[in-house]
Amino acid sequence: MMAEFEVDFPDDFLSRLLQADSEEICMKALEEAAPVLEEEMKNAIRADGHERSGELIDSIKASKPKKASNGAYIVSIRPTGYSKINSYTAKNKGGKKTLRKYHVSNALKAIWIEYGVNGRQPARPFMARAVNRARAASMRRMQEVYDRMAGAE
């Protein structure tokens, strides 16, 4: 006994699929998926409990999707800007307290949290955790965009 499998595509399915603009689909998919990772990065830093991470959390933003020179479509979710606080008390190399009077970029703060600071502050990786937590929801969002724009809904 043989099994029979039959699929009926709507008459206009293939034409809608071929007419779909792949660049438009990619851009829209990334645009809708980026907030998922953005929120997960904020949550991961918030969970870290760092006392001065409020500015860093607020600075995390997604860029607009773009097509790279190698043909890949990318969106960047990263800390932006500089701290508004320009003076911190820190220990210098000799162990004495000193006052630092310059702005620090939020990206540098994220690096300090992710990788630690010269043995004074342990590494507390948050980026991989955020990416792993966001992966399924991001893929689901991108699939929804593809289905919607390619007429598969």
Side-chain angles (χ1 to χ4, degrees):
M1 183 173 192
M2 295 202 56
E4 188 173 313
F5 184 75
E6 187 175 314
V7 177
D8 290 325
F9 290 105
D11 294 336
D12 63 341
F13 175 76
L14 193 55
S15 64
R16 281 190 295 175
L17 183 60
L18 294 174
Q19 290 172 356
D21 180 15
S22 61
E23 184 168 341
E24 185 181 352
I25 291 171
C26 291
M27 296 294 202
K28 186 69 174 168
L30 288 174
E31 188 177 299
E32 289 194 23
V36 174
L37 181 55
E38 185 179 324
E39 192 57 36
E40 282 299 335
M41 281 186 69
K42 289 178 181 182
N43 289 340
I45 294 171
R46 206 174 279 121
D48 179 56
H50 193 273
E51 65 276 1
R52 293 185 182 155
S53 58
E55 278 184 338
L56 175 58
I57 291 168
D58 294 341
S59 77
I60 293 177
K61 307 278 186 244
S63 67
K64 290 186 178 195
K66 66 180 182 177
K67 185 174 182 179
S69 60
N70 66 357
Y73 294 91
I74 60 173
V75 65
S76 174
I77 293 94
R78 66 194 184 289
T80 59
Y82 287 82
S83 66
K84 291 176 181 57
I85 301 169
N86 66 350
S87 62
Y88 291 93
T89 302
K91 288 184 180 178
N92 64 14
K93 290 183 181 180
K96 293 183 179 181
K97 286 191 175 184
T98 182
L99 190 63
R100 185 184 70 217
K101 295 183 176 183
Y102 55 88
H103 295 283
V104 174
S105 75
N106 287 312
L108 186 56
K109 289 184 198 179
I111 291 169
W112 289 340
I113 292 171
E114 182 76 11
Y115 299 106
V117 180
N118 296 334
R120 295 185 313 229
Q121 177 178 315
R124 297 181 309 253
F126 67 94
M127 290 183 205
R129 185 173 59 232
V131 168
N132 290 335
R133 288 183 179 168
R135 182 171 280 122
S138 297
M139 295 299 288
R140 196 169 33 257
R141 286 250 182 113
M142 289 190 282
Q143 184 65 51
E144 289 169 2
V145 169
Y146 175 80
D147 291 345
R148 185 174 61 241
M149 294 183 78
E153 288 186 334

